[in-house]
Every structure is written in C-alpha cells, then in structure tokens.
Amino acid sequence: MDWQTKYNNDAQVQRLARNFDKYVTIDWREERIANYVKEIDEIPLSQDSFESLIQSLSTGEILKTRLFSIIKNWFVLTSVAIVIGTVAALVSIITSLLDNFKEISVNYGLIVFTLVSILFGLIASTLCVIFAIDAAGSGISEVKAIIAGFNRNSFLSWRVLIIKALALPFTIASGLSVGKEGPSVHYAACIGSSIPKIIVPSLKNSPNLISEIISAASGAGVAVAFGSPIGGVLFTVEEMGGIKLSTLWKTFYTSLIAITILQWWNPFGTGQIVMFEVRYTVDWEWFEAFWFVLLGICGGIYGILVIKWNILHVYVREKFFSNRGFKFACVIEVGILCTITALLSYYNQFMRQDMAKVMGELFVACDYDTDDSNLCNDSNTLILSLAYATILRIALVAISYGCKVPCGIFVPSMAVGATFGKLIGVLLHKFGSPVNSGIYAFLGAGATLSGVTGLTATVVVIMYELTGAIKYIVPTMITVVSVRVIVAIYGNGNGGIAEQMLIFAGTPFLEVGEGCDGIVLDLMVKNVIGIDIDKEIDVEEIKSCQKKEYPVWKDHTMIGVVKHDNIDLNQMDKEFITIETGASIFTLGEIFATIGPRIVWVLQEGSLVGIVTRKDFIRYLRYMEWLEKGDVFVSEYAQQVYVSRILALYKRLI
C-alpha cells in the first residue's frame, strides 16, 4: 500500500493538510517567464526587429521604457508605505482614545471597568464574525504561506483590511492579553496586495511582483509597530523568507517611508513613534552575564510551554466550535475572556494598564539612591505584584491568542518577560547585588519575544532600536543565544509560533532545505492523466479530469505540457521541469524551493512515470514526520488531561 492510500484512509493524518484547498499554488517559474515576456513586449519594436531595435536605441525609447517601469514600481512602493504609515497612525490614535476611556472607567469601580472591557471585546469580535472572519487572529502564518507561493486572495482583501484596522483598537483597549504587532503585519500585507492593483491594474496578473511588495509591506508592518525600520527588514528575512536582495531594498525603503509618515502623524503627541521608547546611560558588569543567561533560559522555556499550551487551546477551540451551529459562539468566548481578564487584572497595576505603557515604566533604569517610586524599590509588595502579573499573563496569553479578534503575541510575550525580568532584578537588588532592575525588564522582554517567535537577529535589533543603547547589544545577544539553545534542545524542532501554527493549521508552506530520506519514486503519484499524440484526442474527456495542466507524450517520451484552458498541441509548452525516479527527496525539495514549479514530472529512463506537485511534496514531508514523531502538538496524554477537561468547561460556559 502506497503512502497516498494510507494518508487518505486516516482522518487524523489528513488534518496535516486540512486547509490546503484554500490556497492556490503559484508556479514561480511560469511567473518569471511571463514577467520577462511582458518586459520585452513593453519595448517598442516593429516587425523588422533589428532595424527597430537600432532605432529604439538611438532615440532612447528602450531606456525611457525601462526608466518608466522603475519609476512606476517605486511609486507603487511609496504609495503602499504612505498608506501603511497612515493606517498605523490612525490605529494608534483610536487605540489611545479608547484606552484613555478605559482608564477613566477604572475610577468607577471593578464592575464598570469589566463592562467596558467586555464591550470593547464584543465589538472587535462581532466585527470579525459578521464582516470578515479572516480579520481575526494574527495573520502572520497565512501571509508567510502567501509569500511562499500559495495564493489566497480573500485573506488580503479590502474587506479584511478595513475590519482588521477597525477591530484592532477595540481589541487592544479591551485589555485582552494580545498585541497589535501580528495584525499590523496582516493589514500591511493587505495594503501591499490591494493598493498596487489599483495604481497598476496589470499587477493583478503578476503574482511574482505582488509577492515582493507583500514581503516589503510585511516588514513595514513590523517597523511601524515597533518603530524599528531595520528590525522590519530583518523580520522579512527571518520570518517571511524575503531573502532576495531586491526584496531587502524594497523592504528597507517601504519601512523607511512608513516610519516617516508615522512620525509625521505623531500619534502619541510626544514626537516618538512608540510608547515605550527608553534610553540607558548606565553600564553593565560582566558578573551579570550569568543572570542574562538565566533570563534567556527562562525565555526559551516560556516559548516552548506557551506555544504548546496555546496550540492545545486552539485545538480545543476548533473542536468545540466546529460542532456548534451558533455563529456567535466564538463571540461569547471573547466576552468570557474579557470578563476573566478584567476581574483578575483590576487590582494589579501591571495587568490593568496598557501593556506598552507598563513596559515603558518597567524598562526605565532606576536610581535607587534618588528614586523612591513604587517601581524603584525592593518591597515585598512590588515582588508579589510582579510575580502575580507574570504568572497570570502567561496563562492569559496562552488561552487568549487565537480567539476571534485581531490578535498578536509579540507585545504580550514581551510584557511577560518585562515583569519577570523586573522581578529578577528587584530580587537581586534586595539581596545586595548592585544591578539595575529596569535593564533586566528590558532583557527579559527580549528573551520571551525570541522564545515565542523563534527570531534572533530581529529581536536584537528591535530591542536596540527601542532603547538606542548600543552598549546593551552584547547582553541582548547573550540572552537571545541562551533562548535559542534551550529551544534547540527541548523544542519540537518546528520553529516559532508562526511556523508551528502553519503546520498545525494544515497550511501549505515550504522552505529551502526541507526534505527527508528516500527517493522520488517513494512519493510520486503514478496515475498520470495526459495526452498520447499517437492516439485520437478527446478534448472533452480530458477536460472532465479537472486538472490544471496535462503532459503530452509520444512513444512514452514526454514532449510538452498543455493547459486545461487551452488544449492545443500547437501551443504546448516544451519547457518543463523533470526529475528521475532515483533522485533524492532533498533534491526534489531544492527544486521546489528554489525554482518554484507547481509540478515536477517524474521520468524513468526517459519515460514519464509519475508527477509530484508542491502540495503533495509538503503532504509527504508532514506525513513522514507524523510517522516518526506522532502528533507533536496534541498527544494522547494532552487529550486526556487538558483537552477533555477544557471542552467540558466550554460546554458549561457557552
């Protein structure tokens, strides 16, 4: 029995690819060829190509055409960046207004504070459920898949952009332990997908160029969220896979313009572009390196545990709501989460306030000789408050991230690290160590951010751009390296939360270097539907197979490929990608990841014997990993101990 049969007979394994049908595979090879042809067609040449070429060169027509194309592309990027910066500013302004209203409600007691939190959460969730369910969640995982060549137009639509931007301020102001950074990447990607198609309608048929713009826009989304343009560029490289030099330049330019526009709007009225920008003048000592490593270890453990816990809770959420016909059941869940969060947070200053403001306070370097504020002492009250905030925030992040509101995990994780780092710093100072607790809050935030996202250089640069303290690059690197060591040893090997959510959600995604032991013969589909030109061709019968393209062969030797929409042997494509049955699966993976064909045709001694699509390749890799490791996300033990109990609780509450 081949692997496809085993796969199709096991419903549990099919979860590994349950969302594949939502995405359309882009053939990067064909798109590159189409772009080259388009560029050639734009050159004004007559039938007499040689004389026309000489004339075009002498009059500068070719140079003008090329220059116009370059200007057009950079104008598109500038427009995208301006819109991203403007949307980011408006989101920040509205969030600030709602947050101020929420702070006023604190003066009216716990009940009013809780009701305001519930109201904001319900508004955000209802907007998503009624108008654009794709606006809920983070969006980073799906954008990664789209950039990698699996298109899903509905996910980057105007409707999603508008609802994401409208619902996000209400989500943040509700007090839920979720952030705006992931949603910032999503709405920026929506802008990168939508704006260019308005300015240059022909880009609708250029997925290759749109993908580069979406990559650049995603980096700009991080840049405006953190006030970190270089961090946005590195985010594109580390997280979104934008490793081409042209993409890097576009990302840097888009981030720079977006940040400039955000600065011009001055959303916080302070001249700053983030709410927790601080500057350090105190230095650090080498004896503190031990504690930096400890912060990194704890950040790594946090990332492993929270990702595991959150995915389990998402599994519970999916299982519960899939059996509910009531459309607004997930809105009720958001209301319950808001209630729990508000009730448990009201009496704690680190939980009640906006997370960005809390970090701004915690990051400040304390002068214990002159500063006697409630954050620059080592009282038992402060220690207990920090410990409570750390433990509670961890639990709330794990169960809140992924509910039906726009939600990210960057800042909530940083808030966990900030309170934990501050706690370590206060304890060290209490026992006589001459350390500055504000700096430990800063490093703790970087540790948990790295732990949950799997990012390294991006975290170091973002933390540097937030503080401007170049002397703290080394401590940040020590902390982040410690995080990565712990994750490498004790993690499941599937990266940060975005990568793990891709796999768990059954979303197609492929990176360079992916593969497994075996040969192409082990995974190819052997039943090939195609055209034998030595036989009579029944076009209607072939089209009834509903394939996108069909191979053409003569005497068992493949000679070309025809499209489903145009089965004409005179127009068949004679250039196609093939591989031998005995080639390694790693080689096939390199072909898919670097050249990017949708299909690779499998030959044996020159004869066509099978095919492998990019989606089938990913299915096979995930199936092989499942056979080797089992379900790394939801084990049988987790089903018994956590899933069954939380499901029972949900049935009582909703």
Side-chain angles (χ1 to χ4, degrees):
M1 185 183 296
D2 59 17
W3 77 272
Q4 290 102 336
T5 304
K6 296 177 182 176
Y7 178 92
N8 292 330
N9 291 334
D10 192 328
Q12 184 180 1
V13 178
Q14 288 179 36
R15 290 186 67 257
L16 301 172
R18 64 186 184 277
N19 283 318
F20 274 32
D21 291 340
K22 294 181 180 180
Y23 296 83
V24 177
T25 307
I26 297 174
D27 193 316
W28 290 125
R29 171 185 162 274
E30 287 189 359
E31 292 302 326
R32 284 192 291 270
I33 293 173
N35 285 337
Y36 293 149
V37 171
K38 183 180 177 181
E39 288 181 5
I40 293 173
D41 289 341
E42 289 177 350
I43 299 175
L45 297 176
S46 63
Q47 294 295 325
D48 191 349
S49 59
F50 180 75
E51 291 183 4
S52 179
L53 176 62
I54 298 299
Q55 183 179 358
S56 297
L57 288 172
S58 62
T59 59
E61 287 297 327
I62 293 179
L63 181 60
K64 291 178 184 178
T65 302
R66 183 59 181 165
L67 184 61
F68 174 75
S69 177
I70 293 173
I71 293 174
K72 178 179 65 178
N73 290 339
W74 287 100
F75 177 74
V76 167
L77 284 174
T78 303
S79 303
V80 167
I82 291 172
V83 176
I84 290 173
T86 301
V87 171
L90 294 176
V91 167
S92 296
I93 291 169
I94 297 172
T95 301
S96 181
L97 292 173
L98 294 175
D99 191 57
N100 289 338
F101 183 81
K102 178 86 172 292
E103 288 184 0
I104 294 172
S105 71
V106 174
N107 301 323
Y108 293 90
L110 174 60
I111 295 177
V112 174
F113 176 80
T114 303
L115 289 175
V116 171
S117 298
I118 295 171
L119 176 63
F120 287 167
L122 292 180
I123 290 173
S125 184
T126 303
L127 283 171
C128 293
V129 170
I130 293 179
F131 298 106
I133 196 65
D134 285 337
S138 168
I140 290 179
S141 298
E142 293 83 354
V143 173
K144 277 173 66 75
I146 291 169
I147 291 173
F150 298 98
N151 200 17
R152 184 180 168 187
N153 287 326
S154 62
F155 195 77
L156 300 179
S157 65
W158 279 104
R159 180 191 291 263
V160 172
L161 167 60
I162 293 170
I163 299 303
K164 195 96 176 184
L166 284 176
L168 183 56
F170 287 97
T171 301
I172 303 305
S174 72
L176 287 171
S177 289
V178 296
K180 68 176 183 178
E181 285 64 35
S184 295
V185 172
H186 186 187
Y187 73 63
C190 291
I191 294 169
S193 174
S194 302
I195 294 295
K197 296 172 185 177
I198 294 177
I199 299 174
V200 185
S202 62
L203 287 177
K204 294 178 181 178
N205 301 317
S206 300
N208 192 35
L209 296 177
I210 289 295
S211 177
E212 287 193 4
I213 296 172
I214 292 173
S215 292
S218 299
V222 171
V224 294
F226 284 106
S228 173
I230 301 176
V233 175
L234 291 176
F235 175 84
T236 301
V237 176
E238 276 198 89
E239 188 68 270
M240 312 308 287
I243 57 176
K244 292 190 295 184
L245 183 59
S246 60
T247 304
L248 291 182
W249 275 112
K250 290 174 181 176
T251 305
F252 183 81
Y253 177 77
T254 308
S255 299
L256 179 63
I257 298 298
I259 284 286
T260 302
I261 296 298
L262 183 62
Q263 184 95 46
W264 179 80
W265 275 91
N266 191 19
F268 304 122
T270 61
Q272 299 177 348
I273 50 179
V274 290
M275 294 189 69
F276 50 96
E277 185 175 8
V278 294
R279 290 290 180 264
Y280 290 132
T281 57
V282 294
D283 210 339
W284 60 283
E285 303 293 339
W286 275 105
F287 79 88
E288 296 180 90
F290 171 81
W291 302 109
F292 301 159
V293 171
L294 178 63
L295 286 174
I297 292 172
C298 293
I301 294 172
Y302 165 83
I304 294 169
L305 293 181
V306 166
I307 292 173
K308 179 70 174 178
W309 188 355
N310 177 252
I311 289 178
L312 277 175
H313 204 80
V314 170
Y315 177 76
V316 171
R317 190 176 283 130
E318 288 182 357
K319 198 167 185 178
F320 179 77
F321 290 126
S322 65
N323 298 323
R324 292 291 181 280
F326 182 44
K327 182 178 180 181
F328 291 94
C330 53
V331 178
I332 297 175
E333 183 205 19
V334 171
I336 293 172
L337 288 172
C338 289
T339 304
I340 294 171
T341 303
L343 291 175
L344 295 177
S345 303
Y346 182 76
Y347 294 104
N348 185 280
Q349 62 175 321
F350 305 117
M351 294 296 299
R352 185 178 62 244
Q353 297 182 69
D354 176 76
M355 287 179 284
K357 291 181 180 178
V358 169
M359 283 190 285
E361 295 173 357
L362 293 173
F363 286 176
V364 173
C366 289
D367 186 345
Y368 292 95
D369 296 327
T370 60
D371 192 345
D372 59 352
S373 67
N374 63 343
L375 292 181
C376 290
N377 61 74
D378 49 17
S379 67
N380 291 335
T381 301
L382 178 59
I383 291 171
L384 290 174
S385 183
L386 289 167
Y388 175 82
T390 300
I391 295 170
L392 179 60
R393 182 84 71 189
I394 290 172
L396 291 177
V397 169
I399 65 175
S400 300
Y401 180 66
C403 65
K404 293 305 178 183
V405 293
C407 53
I409 201 170
F410 285 21
V411 163
S413 294
M414 292 175 70
V416 170
T419 52
F420 178 74
K422 184 75 173 181
L423 175 62
I424 296 296
V426 169
L427 288 172
L428 288 173
H429 187 268
K430 185 179 181 69
F431 289 102
S433 184
V435 301
N436 198 300
S437 58
I439 293 163
Y440 282 72
F442 162 75
L443 294 175
T448 47
L449 177 60
S450 178
V452 80
T453 62
L455 301 173
T456 53
T458 302
V459 171
V460 174
V461 171
I462 286 176
M463 301 308 289
Y464 164 68
E465 289 186 293
L466 285 177
T467 63
I470 194 169
K471 65 180 67 176
Y472 281 94
I473 287 182
V474 172
T476 308
M477 293 175 68
I478 292 172
T479 304
V480 169
V481 168
S482 303
V483 171
R484 304 320 311 155
V485 170
I486 294 299
V487 172
I489 296 173
Y490 299 106
N492 61 17
N494 288 315
I497 194 165
E499 291 82 2
Q500 295 196 40
M501 277 296 181
L502 272 171
I503 300 171
F504 173 76
T507 303
F509 182 74
L510 183 66
E511 288 186 305
V512 176
E514 288 196 54
C516 63
D517 294 333
I519 59 176
V520 175
L521 181 65
D522 299 332
L523 69 90
M524 72 179 190
V525 176
K526 298 177 182 178
N527 298 323
V528 183
I529 299 172
I531 300 172
D532 187 342
I533 63 173
D534 291 329
K535 298 179 181 179
E536 185 176 351
I537 301 174
D538 187 337
V539 175
E540 295 303 320
E541 181 181 354
I542 294 173
K543 283 192 172 184
S544 66
C545 299
Q546 296 298 315
K547 304 295 182 181
K548 290 187 177 181
E549 51 196 289
Y550 305 93
V552 180
W553 64 78
K554 179 180 177 62
D555 297 329
H556 302 291
T557 300
M558 186 172 175
I559 60 174
V561 178
V562 292
K563 300 296 183 183
H564 176 85
D565 298 331
N566 184 22
I567 301 180
D568 185 349
L569 297 184
N570 294 322
Q571 297 183 27
M572 69 177 175
D573 186 0
K574 296 183 180 180
E575 299 292 333
F576 45 87
I577 305 295
T578 64
I579 194 170
E580 287 291 327
T581 54
S584 73
I585 291 176
F586 279 102
T587 301
L588 180 60
E590 288 296 314
I591 292 174
F592 278 126
T594 56
I595 302 176
R598 192 181 71 84
I599 291 177
V600 173
W601 308 94
V602 184
L603 306 180
Q604 186 171 30
E605 297 179 355
S607 298
L608 179 65
V609 294
I611 64 170
V612 181
T613 67
R614 202 149 82 231
K615 285 183 179 179
D616 281 341
F617 181 77
I618 300 170
R619 283 191 186 95
Y620 181 79
L621 294 185
R622 294 185 182 177
Y623 177 62
M624 289 295 105
E625 183 180 14
W626 182 85
L627 289 179
E628 179 185 353
K629 300 179 181 179
D631 193 335
V632 297
F633 299 114
V634 187
S635 64
E636 291 184 10
Y637 178 76
Q639 287 266 18
Q640 297 171 1
V641 173
Y642 186 82
V643 174
S644 59
R645 295 178 181 178
I646 301 299
L647 275 174
L649 179 62
Y650 265 60
K651 289 175 183 177
R652 293 194 201 101
L653 294 175
I654 303 177

